[in-house]
Amino acid sequence: AQSVTQLGSHVSVSEGALVLLRCNYSSSVPPYLFWYVQYPNQGLQLLLKYTTGATLVKGINGFEAEFKKSETSFHLTKPSAHMSDAAEYFCAVSGPRGGNKLVFGAGTILRVKS
Amino acid sequence: GAGVSQSPSNKVTEKGKDVELRCDPISGHTALYWYRQSLGQGLEFLIYFQGNSAPDKSGLPSDRFSAERTGGSVSTLTIQRTQQEDSAVYLCASSPHGDYEQYFGPGTRLTVT
């Protein structure tokens, strides 16, 4: 079975500060890992994904994440927060085989203070 | 190009009524997924289609829930005899083959009164 734990249901940062959203996963098979963002009353938008290869992955809007197998982590970072980054962020895991469902973490609401 | 679309965007229904939720995936995407997002349970997988068949229905919460997909395209999620605990946002996603990232629609907000 697979599971995802996101540490911190709410994170608050100042505009221009580093954003760090934490994600730890559990998987009995090599995982595919994803970060999605959800703005109010909208669907989920993919930020970035890790499948195989380079462990540091870059996504949209300046976000990146690093897959650390030894720590079973996939933390999301952005060097400088912008007001428009305020949203809810979800980490998700799926298996390497076709058709696997996404298993989501509980989500982290990011607040950006001016 | 066009993304995943869902209809209706909002649905209010009385307890005990049946509802149908529709999903139009991205053209050419063979895999389609339904998820449910609720305050208490977060984001939960419901069912996965590859083409018109559903190899994984493990997330459907009860036999009141069913789904079908026709022509390898449109999917309908049906909830019979709705209960208040069915109130949630129902999200549909599609992907090219099931190996790739999933693209989500805007969701249908279901409220059971």
Side-chain angles (χ1 to χ4, degrees), chain A residues 82-102:
Chain A
H82 191 273
M83 297 296 290
S84 61
D85 295 327
E88 188 162 16
Y89 293 79
F90 293 92
C91 181
V93 64
S94 74
R97 293 178 177 82
N100 274 311
K101 63 191 177 189
L102 290 171

Side-chain angles (χ1 to χ4, degrees), chain A residues 92-112:
Chain A
V93 64
S94 74
R97 293 178 177 82
N100 274 311
K101 63 191 177 189
L102 290 171
V103 175
F104 287 92
T108 298
I109 295 173
L110 175 65
R111 177 188 172 208
V112 181

Side-chain angles (χ1 to χ4, degrees), chain A residues 36 38 49 98-99 101-102, chain B residues 35 37 45 48 98-99 101-102:
Chain A
Y36 282 86
Q38 187 176 37
K49 68 180 187 292
K101 63 191 177 189
L102 290 171
Chain B
Y35 295 86
Q37 185 174 26
F45 165 80
Y48 153 61
D99 283 343
E101 61 263 29
Q102 297 173 26

Side-chain angles (χ1 to χ4, degrees), chain B residues 3-25:
Chain B
V4 177
S5 61
Q6 294 185 245
S7 60
S9 56
N10 282 283
K11 176 73 175 178
V12 180
T13 189
E14 293 180 352
K15 178 182 172 181
K17 301 286 189 183
D18 297 352
V19 295
E20 286 189 350
L21 311 180
R22 176 187 170 108
C23 172
D24 284 87

Side-chain angles (χ1 to χ4, degrees), chain B residues 4 25-32 51 69 72-73 93-97 101 103:
Chain B
V4 177
I26 294 172
S27 178
H29 282 194
T30 59
L32 186 147
R69 189 179 184 194
S73 180
S94 68
S95 72
H97 304 289
E101 61 263 29
Y103 299 85

Side-chain angles (χ1 to χ4, degrees), chain A residues 40-62:
Chain A
N41 299 314
Q42 295 187 27
L44 298 168
Q45 180 182 9
L46 180 69
L47 278 178
L48 49 79
K49 68 180 187 292
Y50 168 80
T51 54
T52 58
T55 57
L56 180 63
V57 292
K58 296 184 184 298
I60 62 172
N61 301 338

Side-chain angles (χ1 to χ4, degrees), chain A residues 15-34:
Chain A
E15 192 173 20
L18 171 72
V19 175
L20 171 60
L21 304 183
R22 299 178 186 273
C23 171
N24 288 88
Y25 71 90
S26 172
S27 178
S28 58
V29 296
Y32 286 179
L33 294 159
F34 306 83

